[in-house]
Structures are given as structure tokens and as C-alpha cells.
Amino acid sequence: MSARETSPSVVPNGSGAAAILAAGIGSFVLAVFAIAGDKIPAFGKSMIFYKPTGPLSGVTTLAIIIWLAAWVIFDRSWSKRTVPLTRISTVALVLLALSLLLMFPPVGDLF
Amino acid sequence: MEISTRAIWTLIHGMGFGGLYLLACSWIIVELWRRYAPDAGIPVTEREERFLKIYLNAMAVLAWLSVLTGAYIVYPWYRALAPAGTANLAGFPQLLLKSNPATSAWHSIGMEWKEHVAWLAPISITMAAGVASKYGGALKHYRQLRNAVLCFVVVSFLAAGIACFFGAEIDDHAPVKGGSIIHVVNER
């Protein structure tokens, strides 16, 4: 059977939901870390993984690690299951929208 | 005619990887809509499915190359600190922008926004490539899944657009200079 003919009952939506939620979490964590790195000097200093790039190196590296870890964990838990996709994709898109908002400097500077 | 190695890297990062990613994004958004719009009854061949997977994976590679060259090659030159007493800040773009009230917002808003929002592009498009690789043509059965993927792809386009716009403007106001000089054409 080709992939195009595969029915939803054969391929559970869990893996897709895992990928989407993890991307939302990764984006949001990146935004939160970016603000924390800017506003909390000790945190910002601890995020300097590569000196020439400064705190951006640690902020992005940690966010990527958390995103990939979340993806692996959710995928392992959900890959063989059908999960409530509406709720999960809503949460993921809200996290993505929040991350976009928080990354805009005038908004991030409110904290 | 000559060009510095730093200018070449800036070009590779911005116009090469970043610009190409933006172009690729515009096609993928149209293609995903063409395939999965509510009234789209267009049959998709196996070959087209394979192409979409390869295309999305290539976009993910482009996005990662763009942010990584930006953060680890170009950005350190941008934020370099000038030795005490330096009067000419031409080789120190961040300090040059901040030294003038008319240009300081290019750093405080432009670079501060760009350096973080750009990372949404590789995260989003890698997710889209992963979902497309996993589900292939079966994605047509999952309306919510493909809608969410399309939203992430649109955000990645937006993020890359913001990064490219501010990158170009910042480089216009305070270009990254220095490095060895390459003579492209020697005048006689």
C-alpha cells in the first residue's frame, strides 16, 4: 500500500502531534530564555557557551536541546496512539504566537 | 574591485542561505495550500510526495545553515568590542549603531529581535519536514495536523522575513567590515 492510500486508522496522529507540540514548546522556551538572558545578568552570563557569540549561544543551544528532548519524549509516548489533536495543536500554536510576541523587543522589555 | 572575507560571509549568510530560504518558503506555502485547501481535489503523485519531502528537508538544512552562520560567524564580528579610546567605530557595527540616536534602534529593536526570532524558522521547518517525512501523502487525512504545519511554515516565513529585512538594513547602516581582502578584478 502506498503512503497516499494509508488511512488515518493505520497511521496514528501521535507522531505529528508530538512534533507540533515540541516545536511550540521549543519556540516558547527560546523566547523565555532570551528575555531571561537579557534581564537577569547571572542567567545571561551562564548562557555564554561561546564567548564571541555571547548569551545567544547558550539561549539557543539550550532551547534546541529542550525542543529535541520534548520531541523525542512525546514521540515515544504517542507514536502508536491517536491523541486529541485539536487541543494539542491549539496549545502548540498559542505557544508559537506567545513566542513571537515575547521576542518583539518592546514586549520583552516589559518584563 | 575587491571584497573582504567578512563581507563574503555576510552575503553567504544573508543572501545565500537566508534569501534562498525566503524564496523556498514562498513556494512551499503556495504548494501546501494548493494540495490541502478545503476544495483542492488535485491528485498528488508519488513522485510529487517524494519531492515535497526532499524539498522540506533541504529547506530545513538551509534554515539551519542560515542561523548557524549568522550566530557563530557573522554575529561575533557585529558585536565585537572596540579597544578603549577607539574613535573610529567603523569596524564595530553594534557600537557604531548605538553611538548615534538616529541609528541605535537598528540594534535595540532590529538586531535584538532578529537574533532570536530567526531561530523560529529552523525549528518550524524541521518540524514540518519531520511530519511530511513521517506521514507523506497520508497527511491529507489529518486536517488539523496539516493546518498546524502550515501555520508553523507561515511563521517560519515571517521570522525569516524579519531576520532578512533587519539584517539587510543593519548591514546597510553599519556593515561588517574587516578580514582579508580578496581582489576580484584588478584594474590596469
Side-chain angles (χ1 to χ4, degrees):
Chain A
M1 183 188 287
S2 71
R4 292 186 65 242
E5 293 159 341
T6 308
S7 70
S9 60
V10 175
V11 186
N13 65 12
S15 283
I20 287 169
L21 184 58
I25 290 170
S27 304
F28 184 70
V29 166
L30 176 61
V32 171
F33 281 3
I35 292 172
D38 196 33
K39 303 294 170 195
I40 307 167
F43 183 78
K45 205 173 172 185
S46 71
M47 289 292 102
I48 302 174
F49 290 8
Y50 176 63
K51 205 174 174 187
T53 299
L56 181 66
S57 57
V59 163
T60 52
T61 303
L62 269 190
I64 288 165
I65 289 169
I66 290 170
W67 160 52
L68 292 176
W71 194 349
V72 169
I73 291 166
F74 288 135
D75 192 67
R76 281 189 180 171
S77 307
W78 296 346
S79 64
K80 293 183 174 66
R81 292 170 50 195
T82 295
V83 296
L85 198 54
T86 306
R87 207 183 322 156
I88 290 168
S89 61
T90 302
V91 170
L93 290 173
V94 167
L95 288 173
L96 181 66
L98 281 174
S99 66
L100 260 181
L101 194 67
L102 290 172
M103 282 179 189
F104 184 52
V107 175
D109 288 344
L110 296 174
F111 296 92
Chain B
M1 192 166 79
E2 56 191 29
I3 188 167
S4 70
T5 49
R6 290 185 181 185
I8 288 177
W9 272 112
T10 307
L11 277 173
I12 291 170
H13 156 68
M15 284 183 68
F17 300 137
L20 198 54
Y21 181 80
L22 270 182
L23 285 173
C25 244
S26 57
W27 182 82
I28 200 72
I29 289 168
V30 172
E31 179 62 13
L32 289 175
W33 181 255
R34 185 186 74 88
R35 287 184 187 202
Y36 301 126
D39 56 348
I42 303 162
V44 179
T45 65
E46 292 287 342
R47 192 167 173 272
E48 286 174 323
E49 289 299 348
R50 257 197 324 275
F51 180 76
L52 185 75
K53 287 178 194 173
I54 294 168
Y55 191 89
L56 278 167
N57 280 287
M59 282 182 71
V61 171
L62 265 183
W64 283 111
L65 285 173
S66 184
V67 294
L68 290 173
T69 53
Y72 291 97
I73 297 176
V74 180
Y75 186 57
W77 295 328
Y78 169 82
R79 68 190 295 272
L81 294 175
T86 304
N88 182 5
L89 296 174
F92 308 93
Q94 180 180 339
L95 296 176
L96 182 62
L97 290 176
K98 289 164 81 173
S99 68
N100 183 349
T103 58
S104 61
W106 286 116
H107 171 75
S108 62
I109 292 181
M111 181 53 85
E112 292 284 342
W113 196 10
K114 163 191 160 63
E115 73 185 32
H116 295 116
V117 80
W119 291 81
L120 295 184
I123 290 174
S124 297
I125 209 69
T126 303
M127 180 276 283
V131 170
S133 299
K134 171 83 182 179
Y135 289 89
L139 201 56
K140 68 180 178 186
H141 299 298
Y142 302 93
R143 186 176 55 82
Q144 289 158 330
L145 193 56
R146 60 177 193 260
N147 285 347
V149 167
L150 185 59
C151 284
F152 271 87
V153 173
V154 169
V155 167
S156 90
F157 180 59
L158 187 66
I162 292 166
C164 281
F165 168 73
F166 281 108
E169 285 299 319
I170 289 166
D171 197 55
D172 185 40
H173 287 84
V176 170
K177 290 179 176 174
S180 54
I181 299 296
I182 296 166
H183 297 277
V184 182
V185 175
N186 282 320
E187 291 278 342
R188 292 194 174 194

